Amino acid sequence: MFICASCTKDFQELNTTHNAPSSTTIGPLINRIDSSLFLGSTEQGAIHNDYYYPITQLAATAASSAFVLSNGVDEIWNNYYSTLQDINLVQDKINAVADQESMKNIQAVLYILRAYKTFRATDQFGDIPYFKAGKAYTGSVSSFRVAYDSQQLIYDSLLADLAWAVKNINTAASPVTTQGNAYQTLGSYETFLGGDMTKWQKFANSLRLRYAMQMVEKDAATATPIIQDALNNGVGLIGDDEDICLWPASLGGYDVASRWFSFSTGGTGLVRMSSTMWNMVSNNTTDAGIFDPRAKLFVETNAAGNWAPYVIGVSQGDNINAYTYASTDPTNKNGSIYSLINWYLIRDEWYIPEPIMTAAEVHFLKAEAYARGLGASLDLTTAETEYKAGITASVNFWYKIAGNTKTASEDWTAVAPSTPTTLEMQTFLANPKVLFTGTAADALSKIYAQEWLSYFRQPWLAFNLWRRTGSTPVDASSNPTSAYTTFYRLPYAQDEAVNNTDNYNTQISKMGGNNTNYKVWWMK
C-alpha cells in the first residue's frame, strides 16, 4: 500500500525525487509521505532505546547495545529530507491548480503532515535547513546546499500553517467552491485518517496545543494566545477513542518488523524495566504491590518470574538478548536478570499501533493549561478533571489494544489482564502516588508524571517533556552518567560536514560545535 522513500547520503540527492518521476500525481506522493511516519528500526534502537528511554528513565538499557548513535541520526535525517522533497512536489502541484479553493482540504492535509514531520525533526536537532531545503528537483543550484534556519522561525511558520489548516478545512460531505467546482480529495490514497476531514481538523488543532505548550517556557507571548485559541475556538481537540495512530491492520498489515528488530536482534534485547517507571506503578516488587493497571501491559517479570526493576547507573549489567528474532515464545526470556518490556507490546506486527497523538496526551496538556493558567483561568478543579481523564484514556487505550491483539503467534487476548472495573479505577486514582492533591505545584508534578508514563511507547515525547519541564520522575537512588543527564539534542548527520560544508560549519560555529549538550531553542 505504501511505497517507501529511499534514503541516500548525498545532500543534493536528498533534495531530489527518489523512485518516482516529478510528474507523479498528488495521491501517491501523499501516500508516500504517510509511509514516512513509521519509525525506523535504527531510529528506535540507536536513539529511543539507547538514549531517550534511559535519559527520561521511562525504561533502562542494561548494557551497551549493538546500535550506533550516528546510524540512528542518519536514518532520521535521511527520512526527513527524502520526505520533504515529496512535500514540496505536492505543494508545486497544488499551486498549479486554477481553482485554489478546490485544493484547500488537500493543502491542509499537506500542511499538517509537513508540520508533524518538521516539528519532530527540529525538536531533535534544533536549527535545521528547512525553508529552502528539499527543492533541488527544480534544477536551481542554490537549492542543492542550503543554510540552517532557526528553530524559532520554523516553529512560527509551522504554527501559522496549522492555524490555516484549522480555519480552512471544509468538513462538509461534498463541498463545492465559489466557482462551482467540487473540492478535490485524495480518495483511496488518504490511508492515514481515511479522508475524515473533521479528524484532520482536530489533529491540527491538537498539534497547535502540543507545540505551543512546548515553547511556552521560552516564548509565552506567542504561545499563550495559541493555547487559548486551541482550547476555545470551537473546532475541538482529539477526544477519547479518537487517538491518532498508525494502525498496521487497517493498512493491510504494513510491515512494522522494525519495532521487534530494535528490541531484539538489532538491539541485542537489552531494554529493561526501570526502577523509576516501576516506582510509579507499584509499591513493591510483589503482584499485590501493583496499583497501576498498565503495569502488566507495559512490562513483565524476569526469567525467574520476579518483578525486578533496573536502577540506572547502579544495577549490575544484564548483557543478555532476552528474545531471539524468530522467537514465538514469550516465556523464553533467556535468563534475563531484570524485568523486560512486555513481549506482546513489541512483538506484534498487526494490531499494535504506532501512536502519533493520543487523547490521553490532549487531556494532560489541558490539565497543565488549567493548572498553570495558560490560555485559561487557573482552575485546579478543571485541571483535576482533565488529569483523571488523561489517566483513564491511557488505561483504556492500552487495554483496548491488548484485548484486540490476536494472531496465531501473538495472542495477547489470552493472557492480558481483564479491563479494570470502575471500582478498580477509583482505587487506582486514589493511590497516594496518583491522587491529585496538594498545592498547584504538587498537582503539576502529578500531571507531568502521568503524562510521562502515558508516553511509554512514545519516548521522544517523554524526552521533550523532560527537556521542557525538568520535572519528570526520577529515582533518587539512580546514578545516570553525564551522557544521559546533559543529552539535549541529536548531533547533525555526519554527511552534512561533507555535503553541506559551508552551511554546516556556519551552524556549528554558532553553537560551539555539533554537541549533544547544546540546548534547543525552546528549552529553559
Side-chain angles (χ1 to χ4, degrees), residues 44-57:
Q44 293 180 79
I47 309 298
H48 296 181
N49 293 355
D50 282 359
Y51 286 90
Y52 293 170
Y53 270 128
I55 286 169
T56 63
Q57 301 196 15

Side-chain angles (χ1 to χ4, degrees), residues 335-471:
S336 63
I337 301 171
Y338 301 102
S339 294
L340 313 169
I341 306 300
N342 190 303
W343 185 87
Y344 293 96
L345 190 60
I346 60 174
R347 185 68 183 95
D348 177 82
E349 297 173 9
W350 188 264
Y351 293 109
I352 307 295
E354 289 191 2
I356 301 293
M357 192 167 200
T358 65
E361 178 187 355
V362 173
H363 283 302
F364 289 126
L365 291 172
K366 292 166 72 176
E368 179 179 0
Y370 287 110
R372 297 179 62 184
L374 292 172
S377 298
L378 195 154
D379 184 345
L380 289 182
T381 300
T382 303
E384 180 178 9
T385 299
E386 293 294 343
Y387 169 78
K388 290 179 177 179
I391 296 173
T392 302
S394 179
V395 171
N396 290 341
F397 176 78
W398 288 110
Y399 269 85
K400 183 178 180 180
I401 290 168
N404 287 283
T405 299
K406 183 180 176 64
T407 65
S409 57
E410 292 98 41
D411 186 2
W412 202 358
T413 63
V415 297
S418 300
T419 302
T421 65
T422 300
L423 179 59
E424 288 170 334
M425 283 299 297
Q426 290 173 347
T427 302
F428 165 39
L429 293 172
N431 185 281
K433 292 183 180 180
V434 181
L435 185 64
F436 195 88
T437 187
T439 65
D442 293 333
L444 194 59
S445 178
K446 293 285 182 67
I447 292 169
Y448 291 150
Q450 288 299 322
E451 182 178 354
W452 166 87
L453 187 56
S454 76
Y455 291 146
F456 192 71
R457 288 300 296 127
Q458 296 169 284
W460 65 94
L461 293 181
F463 180 56
N464 286 353
L465 186 65
W466 172 76
R467 289 185 293 171
R468 174 170 76 87
T469 69
S471 298

Side-chain angles (χ1 to χ4, degrees), residues 262-289:
S262 70
F263 278 91
S264 57
T265 300
T268 61
L270 299 172
V271 181
R272 299 291 186 264
M273 176 181 80
S274 72
S275 58
T276 312
M277 178 270 184
W278 186 245
N279 290 338
M280 291 298 300
V281 299
S282 181
N283 291 322
N284 53 54
T285 55
T286 68
D287 272 7

Side-chain angles (χ1 to χ4, degrees), residues 2 16 75 147 179 186 226 229 255 287 289 338 354 360 365 369 375 422 435:
F2 285 139
T16 307
E75 185 171 65
Q179 296 183 31
L186 295 166
I226 297 173
D229 184 70
D255 183 12
D287 272 7
Y338 301 102
E354 289 191 2
L365 291 172
T422 300
L435 185 64

